Amino acid sequence: MDDLFGSAAQDSDDGDNDAAEADQSRTAQSRTAQPRSAQSRSTQPRGPLAVRMRPRTVDEVVGQQHLLGQGSPLRQLAAGAEAAGPAGPSSLILWGPPGTGKTTLAHVIARGPGRKFVELSAITAGVKDVRRVMDDALTARDLYKTTTVLFLDEIHRFNKAQQDALLPGVEKGWVVLVAATTENPSFSVVSPLLSRSLLLTLKPLTDADIEGLLVRAVEDPRGLNNDVRLSDEALEHLVRLSGGDARRALTALEAAAGVAFGDADDVGSSGAGEGDTDEGMPDQPVTVELRHTERALDAAAVRYDRAGDQHYDVASAFIKSIRGSDVDAALHYLARMLEAGEDPRFVARRIVISAAEDVGMADPTALQTAVAAAQAVQLIGMPEGRIVLAEAVVHLATAPKSNAAYMGINKAIADVRAGLGNGIPAHLRDAHYPGSKQLGHGVGYKYAHDAPHSVAAQQYPPDDLVGRDYYEPTANGAERDIAVRLERLRKIIRGQ
């Protein structure tokens, strides 16, 4: 258990052996009165699990394989000064959500041979710090033939003057800049610096990436060293709540392990007896269960399987609640999907479909709202995306409803599949090429804008579909006025 909460104390120097033996004797006597996990926590604490599990090589990096192929700029930087051959190393701007590996990649690069690594944070550093790094980098290059890699975290927090201070060193090759940002560099990084750097976009980690990372953290000696076991339910809960953020997943795992060890202490102190080890509790890994992750994260596990029945059941209830104009139920199912880790883009797509299928022309602005929401979710992401989705859901659920357009296209498709609608009236056919007039194409066509009200009386459908009505507007919302106008249009077009 020492690997989880602390490292064992080092032996004393040779001159203090007698004192050390006495201390060890007293310590051994005290150990018989406390559980093993309590002993572990009494030793010197270690760093956070996310820091201990930080990859040391490119091959240990989880995800971002689209940026780590052979010959890629990141792999060349990590390999060292000679990896690029005659080509010089490129400065990089790493853009991605939190927990996707920007800082991790910088530390992997730091381990590369033949380079000096300097790390600054835009939160605390200023122009003076940047200039000092540039001066030191120039000296290192000229005197020691060493290239300095400058990792600048949160570069979007630098103002224009601070970013401009980076330009001479980047342009002249004094430093290789590796800058990290969670904001769109097109808006947060000055253009001259963008043009001198490669922009690499990091993607959120997949569920499989997060699951593999958690399993590795449980087994790795740097992590929990197999002192705990993860139940399937607990693992699924941690993956779902991580939101593609590796740091969040590891922090949650460490907190859940702490809760599990706390429960094990209670059991060990109250139920110590036969079958226990000399240290006061069974010598076996502690199991992290779903209840431990719920208590650690203060978030109940939502019964929802994105690959199973729950995915389709909740989505179905969501759409049917919108269709039924129950805005409260629709918001509930929206919350269930988002809290369970459903992809907000999936939810946005369903809202767009519902706007066209269930609201339709009864409120033509509903589709505009739905499309805008889908685009906004892509732009701003979560958790703020929930606000946009909620607005779209409220609009759709409270809007007047009509499926007339949806039913109209379905009836038209049914006729096409039944073989109806043969041919196209000759006056509607393409007449722009030589010889088309001799075929009768376009002859007799009436240009609608030349007619009163820009509506001309002529045949548009094929002969066997004349008089066939597909769109039948309802009396709901805007379709009430559309129905009156449509009746007049059909009379004029059909010459009635």
Side-chain angles (χ1 to χ4, degrees), residues 3 19 53 66 68 71 95 120 147 159 205 210 216 274 278 311-312 330 368 381 410 466:
D3 283 329
M53 287 303 300
H66 64 294
L68 297 174
W95 173 35
L120 293 179
T147 300
N159 59 35
L205 301 183
I210 297 294
R216 183 197 298 175
E274 295 183 4
D278 293 339
H311 168 83
Y312 297 104
Q368 299 172 13
N410 287 347
V466 171

Side-chain angles (χ1 to χ4, degrees), residues 88-91 114-118 130-143 145-151 164-178 196:
S90 302
S91 291
R115 292 204 174 107
K116 177 184 176 183
F117 185 81
V118 179
V130 171
R131 287 175 177 166
R132 184 181 66 251
V133 171
M134 294 300 171
D135 292 340
D136 293 344
L138 181 59
T139 300
R141 188 197 67 172
D142 293 343
L143 296 182
K145 309 300 181 185
T146 299
T147 300
T148 299
V149 176
L150 170 60
F151 174 60
D164 285 343
L166 296 166
L167 290 175
V170 172
E171 184 172 17
K172 297 176 182 179
W174 301 344
V175 298
V176 175
L177 175 67
V178 179
R196 291 165 173 80

Side-chain angles (χ1 to χ4, degrees), residues 78-135:
E82 303 301 325
S90 302
S91 291
L92 307 174
I93 296 177
L94 305 178
W95 173 35
T100 52
K102 298 183 294 295
T103 305
T104 290
L105 288 170
H107 281 269
V108 168
I109 291 171
R111 294 176 174 269
R115 292 204 174 107
K116 177 184 176 183
F117 185 81
V118 179
E119 181 174 0
L120 293 179
S121 172
I123 299 175
T124 57
V127 173
K128 182 179 178 180
D129 301 299
V130 171
R131 287 175 177 166
R132 184 181 66 251
V133 171
M134 294 300 171
D135 292 340

Side-chain angles (χ1 to χ4, degrees), residues 347-363:
V347 179
R349 290 194 296 269
R350 299 306 306 173
I351 292 174
V352 171
I353 295 169
S354 178
E357 177 181 346
D358 297 317
V359 178
M361 292 301 295
D363 182 359

